[in-house]
Amino acid sequence: MPDSSFSTKTTYPGQPLDLEDSFRVVELQPGKYHDSVLVRLLNTRLRESPAYEALSYTWGDGALTEQIQFSDSTDASSDSMLVTANCYSALKRLRKADCPRTIWIDSLCINQDLVLERNHQLGLMSQIYSQASRVVVYLGESADESDNAMNWIREIDVPSDFGQSAYSYDGKVKIIRPDTAMIEALLRRPWFSRVWVLQEVALANEAVVCCGSKEISWESFKAFKYWNVAASWVETLPYAVETAVKSQWYSGGGTPGQRLLSKLAATRHCGATDPRDKLFAILPLLNSEAKYFAQQSAKNQRLGELRDALQERDQVQGEETKQIEKDLDRKIVDYGHTPAQVFADLAIYLLETLGLDFLCQVVGPSNLPRLPSWVPDWSIASNYTHKKADFGDSLRGRSYAGLKSKSPKRWHEGLANNLEHRWRVSKPTNRESLCLYRLETPAVKVGIIKSLGDKCEVDKNYFPLAQWQSLVIDPKLLQLKGELSAFQRLLVLDDVVYPHALIRGYRRIERYNEGYDNDEEWRLAFNPDYKGGEKVDPKPKVPLRDIMKGMPPSYLRQAEVLFRSCDGRRFIATDLGHIGLAPEDATVGDYVFVLEGASVPFVFRKGGDVEREESQTVELVGECYVQGVMMGEVWQDKCRVEELVIS
């Protein structure tokens, strides 16, 4: 989708568009690779079912531009336009030598200087891509052995004699393992990390991927995704490849609001030059998701009643999704709104739909001016490669007191009751004063952070276990209660299935921090069956993230919760004796509050410029986990409830 930061700086040569389903296509005139680029712009309508392809690519650096020529119906050159260098390369590579090629290209087919037109075309995006005969993905020109990488990926899907070794002793032909560096280099290309490409390939009837002179089917990337599970050529695949199969992109579970939040969170690491596109690119996929499951239900070969029930469910979900899209289109989806306005309105909508646990999506300080601290900035994401454990996830299926009720509620019931909330958002009359959008809610103070540990950084081989333990003032928290201490349970958010596995993981971290210089010392320390003396090559200290390897699968999953829970977080101790895990941005003197209706506590910092009687004005730092308050205990005891104003 268009990048609003790029402008052609020239008069747009296309004819005005009508409303409804009108859009433009580019007729790319024939020519040789090094010839200048000549195109025509043609107005058409979706209802006319025109024949065209759609281009999926990245705009690239807006400062690097090339000039293309436009022609009228007589093929006489009539106008010119600046396009990004990457777009120019795509046009040269994709044009045919002997006949025109009709393609939809966002930067050419949409007047980027008209906000009304951009909004209108945004509403047609899903139809434009789904009605195209095929989507052409352009990754750029050949580099870093990309030709060989493309050949290898195609080989997985369409085997040939490429890459085959001689017959082995059992008579089977085996694939030679390639240099994975070239495949990783291909998958690091910018296209794979952009948020818009997700819908562009998900909605395509057919898709092909072009890189230089090589062209392979998108189906080959799907096949490679499955192959890589067993072959492990690439450790981490781009999100666009991981979700290449519709059944994996489409969750189908939960309410439309929950599915929207799930998609926003899952695509947080995907790039978009315009922050608003982090939402705008996701919305069309929600409706496509409902349609997909309706089609799957129709194919179901079970009893008619079950099939009808599934179809009815999917129809209801589809109607709910359409209503959400209408609500968001009417209130939020507008390139005339600033990114801060879009995110603030989205936050209010999701608060009304999902409740205060939505605040867990706040990750670090925002880069957007005037964005309230309680509004997630979807243009930033955590820098940590370990998928963090969500504090709220540890409460699922447990008792949750929530909302000061005397009778415990299940976690999901407490979340549902958030819809009957006592929180409210106060809005200023001037929409430009977004920093005055304040969230007001009843809350109970858990304490003030008095001690703060170093940040755990697994990928930097730093887990400050001893330092954290030294900050525990109450010795009872370090004493074993059963097989584990309260401190040890905190490090996995009380998510304990196999205590012995947790103890083994804990001890491995302790030993790792003591220091081992080579594999010989490591084997002696961690392998009880190793007697020493084997000849081994000296190697650097093993990465911290690998020290749990070798455990049985169930034990390994339990031990690695230590990394998921602590990576990127700090240990805290409060003035009231509580211990917990807090965001990396927490500091000494920050407050910890439990909000009425939320399933996790949050860290706040005194701030704002509004003083109110019996209220505190604070800024949200992030979610936290505090031992002894995660089950709603503060609502069961006599506690002082105050009105918290979050700016």
Side-chain angles (χ1 to χ4, degrees), residues 263-322:
K263 300 298 184 289
L264 287 167
T267 58
R268 199 154 193 170
H269 286 86
C270 296
T273 307
D274 189 328
R276 295 167 292 192
D277 290 339
K278 297 301 291 287
L279 169 65
F280 297 171
I282 295 301
L283 288 177
L285 282 166
L286 292 180
N287 191 39
S288 176
E289 177 182 88
K291 291 180 180 178
Y292 170 76
F293 277 99
Q295 293 171 356
Q296 294 301 105
S297 298
K299 295 178 182 178
N300 196 301
Q301 299 299 315
R302 297 183 182 180
L303 296 175
E305 290 185 4
L306 175 59
R307 184 167 59 251
D308 292 343
L310 291 172
Q311 290 175 337
E312 182 179 355
R313 179 205 67 183
D314 294 324
Q315 183 177 1
V316 170
Q317 285 189 352
E319 293 301 321
E320 290 176 345
T321 301
K322 289 179 182 178

Coordinates of all heavy atoms in Angstrom, one line a residue, residues 263-322:
K263 N -3.9 -10.5 15.6 CA -3.2 -10.1 14.4 C -2.2 -8.9 14.6 O -1.1 -8.9 14.1 CB -4.2 -9.8 13.2 CG -5.1 -11.0 12.9 CD -4.4 -12.2 12.4 CE -5.3 -13.3 11.9 NZ -6.0 -13.9 13.0
L264 N -2.7 -8.0 15.3 CA -1.9 -6.8 15.6 C -0.6 -7.2 16.4 O 0.5 -6.7 16.1 CB -2.7 -5.7 16.4 CG -3.7 -5.0 15.6 CD1 -4.6 -4.2 16.5 CD2 -3.1 -4.0 14.6
A265 N -0.8 -8.1 17.4 CA 0.3 -8.5 18.2 C 1.3 -9.4 17.4 O 2.5 -9.2 17.5 CB -0.2 -9.2 19.4
A266 N 0.7 -10.3 16.5 CA 1.5 -11.2 15.8 C 2.4 -10.5 14.7 O 3.5 -11.0 14.4 CB 0.7 -12.3 15.1
T267 N 1.9 -9.4 14.2 CA 2.6 -8.7 13.1 C 3.3 -7.5 13.6 O 3.7 -6.6 12.8 CB 1.6 -8.2 12.0 OG1 0.6 -7.4 12.6 CG2 0.9 -9.4 11.4
R268 N 3.5 -7.4 14.9 CA 4.2 -6.2 15.4 C 5.6 -6.0 14.9 O 6.1 -4.9 14.8 CB 4.2 -6.3 17.0 CG 4.4 -5.0 17.7 CD 3.8 -5.0 19.0 NE 3.8 -3.6 19.6 CZ 3.1 -3.3 20.7 NH1 2.5 -4.2 21.4 NH2 3.1 -2.0 21.1
H269 N 6.3 -7.1 14.6 CA 7.7 -7.0 14.1 C 7.7 -6.7 12.6 O 8.8 -6.4 12.0 CB 8.4 -8.3 14.4 CG 8.8 -8.4 15.8 ND1 8.0 -9.0 16.8 CD2 10.0 -8.1 16.5 CE1 8.6 -9.0 17.9 NE2 9.8 -8.4 17.8
C270 N 6.5 -6.7 11.9 CA 6.5 -6.4 10.5 C 6.6 -4.9 10.3 O 6.1 -4.1 11.1 CB 5.2 -6.9 9.9 SG 5.0 -8.7 9.9
G271 N 7.3 -4.6 9.2 CA 7.6 -3.2 9.0 C 6.6 -2.4 8.2 O 5.8 -3.0 7.4
A272 N 6.4 -1.1 8.4 CA 5.6 -0.2 7.7 C 6.1 1.2 7.8 O 6.3 1.6 9.0 CB 4.1 -0.3 8.1
T273 N 6.5 1.8 6.7 CA 7.0 3.2 6.8 C 6.0 4.1 7.4 O 6.3 5.0 8.2 CB 7.4 3.7 5.5 OG1 8.3 2.7 4.9 CG2 8.1 5.0 5.6
D274 N 4.7 3.9 7.1 CA 3.6 4.7 7.7 C 3.1 3.9 8.8 O 2.5 2.8 8.6 CB 2.5 5.0 6.6 CG 1.5 5.9 7.1 OD1 1.2 6.0 8.3 OD2 0.9 6.7 6.2
P275 N 3.2 4.4 10.1 CA 2.7 3.6 11.2 C 1.2 3.2 11.1 O 0.8 2.2 11.6 CB 2.9 4.6 12.4 CG 4.0 5.5 12.0 CD 3.8 5.7 10.5
R276 N 0.4 4.0 10.5 CA -1.0 3.7 10.4 C -1.3 2.4 9.6 O -2.3 1.8 9.9 CB -1.7 4.9 9.7 CG -1.7 6.2 10.5 CD -2.2 7.4 9.6 NE -1.2 7.7 8.6 CZ -1.2 8.8 7.8 NH1 -2.1 9.7 8.1 NH2 -0.3 9.0 6.9
D277 N -0.4 2.1 8.8 CA -0.6 0.8 8.0 C -0.4 -0.4 8.8 O -0.9 -1.5 8.4 CB 0.5 0.8 6.8 CG 0.2 1.8 5.8 OD1 -1.0 2.3 5.7 OD2 1.1 2.2 5.0
K278 N 0.1 -0.3 10.0 CA 0.1 -1.5 10.9 C -1.3 -1.9 11.2 O -1.5 -3.1 11.5 CB 0.9 -1.2 12.2 CG 2.3 -0.8 12.0 CD 3.1 -1.9 11.3 CE 3.3 -3.1 12.2 NZ 4.2 -3.0 13.3
L279 N -2.3 -1.0 11.2 CA -3.7 -1.4 11.4 C -4.3 -1.6 10.0 O -5.0 -2.6 9.8 CB -4.4 -0.3 12.2 CG -6.0 -0.4 12.2 CD1 -6.4 -1.7 12.9 CD2 -6.6 0.8 12.8
F280 N -4.2 -0.6 9.1 CA -4.9 -0.6 7.8 C -4.6 -1.9 7.0 O -5.5 -2.3 6.3 CB -4.5 0.6 7.0 CG -4.9 1.9 7.7 CD1 -4.5 3.1 7.1 CD2 -5.7 2.0 8.8 CE1 -4.8 4.4 7.7 CE2 -6.0 3.2 9.4 CZ -5.6 4.4 8.9
A281 N -3.4 -2.4 7.1 CA -3.1 -3.6 6.3 C -3.7 -4.9 6.9 O -3.8 -5.9 6.2 CB -1.5 -3.8 6.3
I282 N -4.1 -4.8 8.2 CA -4.6 -6.0 8.8 C -6.1 -6.2 8.6 O -6.6 -7.3 8.5 CB -4.3 -6.0 10.3 CG1 -2.8 -6.1 10.5 CG2 -5.0 -7.1 11.1 CD1 -2.1 -7.3 10.0
L283 N -6.8 -5.1 8.6 CA -8.3 -5.2 8.6 C -8.9 -6.0 7.4 O -9.8 -6.8 7.7 CB -8.9 -3.7 8.5 CG -8.7 -2.9 9.8 CD1 -9.3 -1.5 9.6 CD2 -9.5 -3.6 11.0
P284 N -8.4 -5.9 6.2 CA -9.0 -6.7 5.1 C -8.9 -8.2 5.4 O -9.7 -8.9 4.9 CB -8.2 -6.2 3.9 CG -7.7 -4.9 4.2 CD -7.4 -4.9 5.7
L285 N -7.9 -8.6 6.1 CA -7.7 -10.0 6.3 C -8.7 -10.6 7.3 O -8.9 -11.8 7.3 CB -6.3 -10.3 6.9 CG -5.2 -10.2 5.8 CD1 -3.8 -10.1 6.4 CD2 -5.3 -11.4 4.9
L286 N -9.3 -9.8 8.2 CA -10.3 -10.3 9.1 C -11.5 -10.8 8.3 O -12.0 -11.9 8.6 CB -10.7 -9.2 10.1 CG -9.6 -8.8 11.1 CD1 -10.2 -7.7 12.0 CD2 -9.1 -10.0 11.9
N287 N -12.0 -10.0 7.4 CA -13.1 -10.5 6.6 C -12.8 -11.7 5.7 O -13.6 -12.6 5.6 CB -13.7 -9.3 5.7 CG -15.0 -9.6 5.1 OD1 -15.9 -10.2 5.7 ND2 -15.2 -9.3 3.9
S288 N -11.6 -11.7 5.2 CA -11.1 -12.8 4.4 C -11.0 -14.1 5.2 O -11.3 -15.2 4.8 CB -9.7 -12.5 3.8 OG -9.2 -13.6 3.1
E289 N -10.7 -13.9 6.5 CA -10.6 -15.0 7.4 C -12.0 -15.7 7.6 O -12.1 -16.9 7.5 CB -10.1 -14.6 8.8 CG -10.0 -15.6 9.8 CD -9.6 -15.1 11.2 OE1 -10.4 -14.6 11.9 OE2 -8.3 -15.1 11.4
A290 N -13.0 -14.9 7.8 CA -14.4 -15.4 7.9 C -14.8 -16.1 6.7 O -15.4 -17.2 6.7 CB -15.3 -14.3 8.3
K291 N -14.5 -15.6 5.5 CA -14.9 -16.2 4.3 C -14.2 -17.6 4.1 O -14.7 -18.5 3.6 CB -14.5 -15.3 3.1 CG -15.4 -14.0 3.0 CD -15.0 -13.2 1.8 CE -15.9 -11.9 1.7 NZ -15.5 -11.1 0.6
Y292 N -12.9 -17.6 4.5 CA -12.1 -18.8 4.3 C -12.7 -19.9 5.2 O -12.9 -21.1 4.7 CB -10.7 -18.6 4.8 CG -9.8 -19.8 4.9 CD1 -9.3 -20.4 3.7 CD2 -9.5 -20.4 6.1 CE1 -8.6 -21.6 3.8 CE2 -8.8 -21.5 6.2 CZ -8.3 -22.1 5.1 OH -7.5 -23.3 5.2
F293 N -13.1 -19.7 6.4 CA -13.6 -20.7 7.2 C -15.0 -21.1 6.8 O -15.4 -22.2 7.0 CB -13.6 -20.3 8.7 CG -12.3 -20.5 9.3 CD1 -11.3 -19.5 9.5 CD2 -11.9 -21.8 9.8 CE1 -10.1 -19.8 10.0 CE2 -10.6 -22.1 10.3 CZ -9.7 -21.0 10.4
A294 N -15.7 -20.2 6.2 CA -17.1 -20.5 5.6 C -16.9 -21.5 4.5 O -17.6 -22.5 4.4 CB -17.8 -19.3 5.2
Q295 N -15.9 -21.3 3.7 CA -15.6 -22.2 2.6 C -15.1 -23.6 3.1 O -15.5 -24.6 2.6 CB -14.5 -21.6 1.7 CG -14.9 -20.4 0.9 CD -13.8 -19.7 0.2 OE1 -12.6 -20.1 0.3 NE2 -14.1 -18.7 -0.6
Q296 N -14.3 -23.6 4.1 CA -13.9 -24.8 4.7 C -15.0 -25.6 5.3 O -15.1 -26.8 5.2 CB -12.8 -24.6 5.8 CG -11.5 -24.0 5.3 CD -10.8 -24.9 4.3 OE1 -10.9 -24.6 3.1 NE2 -10.3 -26.0 4.7
S297 N -16.0 -24.9 5.9 CA -17.1 -25.6 6.5 C -18.0 -26.2 5.4 O -18.5 -27.3 5.5 CB -18.0 -24.6 7.2 OG -17.2 -24.1 8.3
A298 N -18.1 -25.5 4.2 CA -18.9 -26.0 3.1 C -18.3 -27.3 2.6 O -19.0 -28.1 2.0 CB -19.0 -25.0 2.0
K299 N -17.0 -27.5 2.7 CA -16.3 -28.7 2.2 C -16.4 -29.8 3.2 O -16.0 -30.9 2.8 CB -14.8 -28.3 1.9 CG -14.7 -27.3 0.8 CD -13.2 -27.0 0.6 CE -13.0 -26.0 -0.5 NZ -11.5 -25.6 -0.7
N300 N -16.8 -29.5 4.4 CA -16.9 -30.6 5.4 C -17.8 -31.7 5.0 O -18.9 -31.5 4.6 CB -17.3 -30.0 6.7 CG -17.0 -30.8 7.9 OD1 -17.5 -32.0 7.9 ND2 -16.3 -30.3 8.8
Q301 N -17.3 -32.9 5.1 CA -18.1 -34.1 4.6 C -18.8 -34.8 5.7 O -19.3 -35.9 5.5 CB -17.1 -35.1 3.9 CG -16.4 -34.5 2.7 CD -17.4 -34.1 1.6 OE1 -18.3 -34.8 1.3 NE2 -17.2 -32.9 1.1
R302 N -18.9 -34.2 6.9 CA -19.6 -34.8 8.0 C -21.1 -34.7 7.8 O -21.6 -34.3 6.8 CB -19.2 -34.2 9.3 CG -17.7 -34.4 9.6 CD -17.3 -33.8 11.0 NE -15.9 -33.9 11.2 CZ -15.3 -33.5 12.3 NH1 -16.1 -33.0 13.3 NH2 -14.0 -33.7 12.5
L303 N -21.8 -35.0 8.9 CA -23.3 -35.0 8.9 C -23.8 -33.6 8.5 O -23.1 -32.6 8.9 CB -23.8 -35.4 10.2 CG -23.5 -36.8 10.7 CD1 -24.0 -37.1 12.1 CD2 -24.2 -37.8 9.7
G304 N -24.9 -33.5 7.9 CA -25.5 -32.3 7.4 C -25.7 -31.3 8.6 O -25.5 -30.1 8.4
E305 N -26.1 -31.8 9.7 CA -26.4 -30.8 10.8 C -25.1 -30.2 11.3 O -25.1 -29.0 11.6 CB -27.0 -31.6 12.0 CG -28.5 -32.1 11.7 CD -29.1 -32.8 12.9 OE1 -28.4 -32.8 14.0 OE2 -30.2 -33.3 12.8
L306 N -24.1 -30.9 11.4 CA -22.8 -30.4 11.8 C -22.3 -29.3 10.8 O -21.8 -28.2 11.2 CB -21.7 -31.5 12.0 CG -20.3 -31.0 12.3 CD1 -20.3 -30.2 13.6 CD2 -19.4 -32.2 12.5
R307 N -22.4 -29.7 9.5 CA -22.0 -28.8 8.5 C -22.8 -27.5 8.5 O -22.3 -26.4 8.4 CB -22.1 -29.4 7.1 CG -21.6 -28.5 6.0 CD -21.5 -29.3 4.7 NE -22.7 -29.9 4.2 CZ -23.0 -31.2 4.2 NH1 -22.2 -32.0 4.7 NH2 -24.2 -31.6 3.8
D308 N -24.1 -27.6 8.7 CA -24.9 -26.4 8.8 C -24.6 -25.6 10.0 O -24.6 -24.3 10.0 CB -26.4 -26.8 8.9 CG -26.9 -27.4 7.6 OD1 -26.2 -27.3 6.6 OD2 -28.0 -28.1 7.6
A309 N -24.3 -26.2 11.2 CA -23.9 -25.5 12.4 C -22.6 -24.7 12.2 O -22.5 -23.6 12.6 CB -23.8 -26.5 13.5
L310 N -21.6 -25.4 11.5 CA -20.4 -24.7 11.2 C -20.6 -23.5 10.3 O -20.0 -22.4 10.5 CB -19.4 -25.7 10.6 CG -18.9 -26.8 11.5 CD1 -18.0 -27.8 10.8 CD2 -18.0 -26.2 12.7
Q311 N -21.4 -23.7 9.3 CA -21.7 -22.6 8.3 C -22.4 -21.4 9.0 O -22.1 -20.3 8.8 CB -22.5 -23.1 7.2 CG -21.7 -24.0 6.2 CD -22.6 -24.6 5.1 OE1 -23.8 -24.7 5.3 NE2 -22.0 -25.0 4.1
E312 N -23.3 -21.8 9.9 CA -24.0 -20.7 10.7 C -23.0 -20.0 11.6 O -23.1 -18.7 11.7 CB -25.1 -21.4 11.5 CG -25.9 -20.3 12.3 CD -27.0 -21.0 13.1 OE1 -27.2 -22.2 13.0 OE2 -27.7 -20.2 13.8
R313 N -22.1 -20.7 12.2 CA -21.1 -20.1 13.1 C -20.3 -19.1 12.3 O -20.0 -18.0 12.6 CB -20.2 -21.1 13.7 CG -19.1 -20.5 14.6 CD -18.0 -21.5 14.8 NE -17.3 -21.6 13.5 CZ -16.3 -22.5 13.3 NH1 -15.8 -23.2 14.3 NH2 -15.7 -22.6 12.1
D314 N -19.8 -19.6 11.1 CA -18.9 -18.8 10.3 C -19.6 -17.6 9.7 O -19.1 -16.5 9.5 CB -18.3 -19.6 9.2 CG -17.3 -20.7 9.7 OD1 -16.6 -20.4 10.7 OD2 -17.3 -21.8 9.2
Q315 N -20.9 -17.8 9.4 CA -21.7 -16.6 8.9 C -21.8 -15.6 10.0 O -21.7 -14.4 9.7 CB -23.1 -17.1 8.5 CG -23.9 -16.0 7.9 CD -25.3 -16.5 7.4 OE1 -25.6 -17.7 7.5 NE2 -26.1 -15.6 6.8
V316 N -22.1 -16.0 11.2 CA -22.2 -15.0 12.3 C -20.8 -14.3 12.5 O -20.8 -13.1 12.6 CB -22.6 -15.7 13.6 CG1 -22.5 -14.8 14.8 CG2 -24.0 -16.3 13.5
Q317 N -19.7 -15.1 12.5 CA -18.4 -14.4 12.6 C -18.2 -13.5 11.5 O -17.6 -12.4 11.7 CB -17.3 -15.5 12.7 CG -17.3 -16.3 14.0 CD -16.0 -17.1 14.1 OE1 -15.3 -17.3 13.1 NE2 -15.8 -17.7 15.3
G318 N -18.6 -13.9 10.3 CA -18.4 -13.0 9.2 C -19.1 -11.7 9.3 O -18.6 -10.6 9.0
E319 N -20.4 -11.8 9.8 CA -21.2 -10.6 10.0 C -20.6 -9.7 11.1 O -20.5 -8.5 11.0 CB -22.6 -10.9 10.3 CG -23.4 -11.6 9.2 CD -23.4 -10.7 7.9 OE1 -23.6 -9.5 8.1 OE2 -23.3 -11.2 6.8
E320 N -20.1 -10.3 12.2 CA -19.5 -9.6 13.2 C -18.2 -8.8 12.7 O -18.0 -7.7 13.0 CB -19.1 -10.5 14.4 CG -20.3 -11.0 15.2 CD -19.8 -12.0 16.2 OE1 -18.7 -12.5 16.2 OE2 -20.6 -12.3 17.1
T321 N -17.4 -9.6 11.9 CA -16.2 -9.0 11.4 C -16.5 -7.8 10.5 O -15.9 -6.7 10.5 CB -15.4 -10.0 10.6 OG1 -15.1 -11.1 11.5 CG2 -14.1 -9.4 10.1
K322 N -17.6 -8.0 9.6 CA -17.9 -6.9 8.7 C -18.4 -5.6 9.5 O -18.1 -4.5 9.2 CB -19.1 -7.3 7.8 CG -18.6 -8.3 6.7 CD -19.8 -8.7 5.9 CE -19.4 -9.8 4.8 NZ -20.5 -10.2 4.0

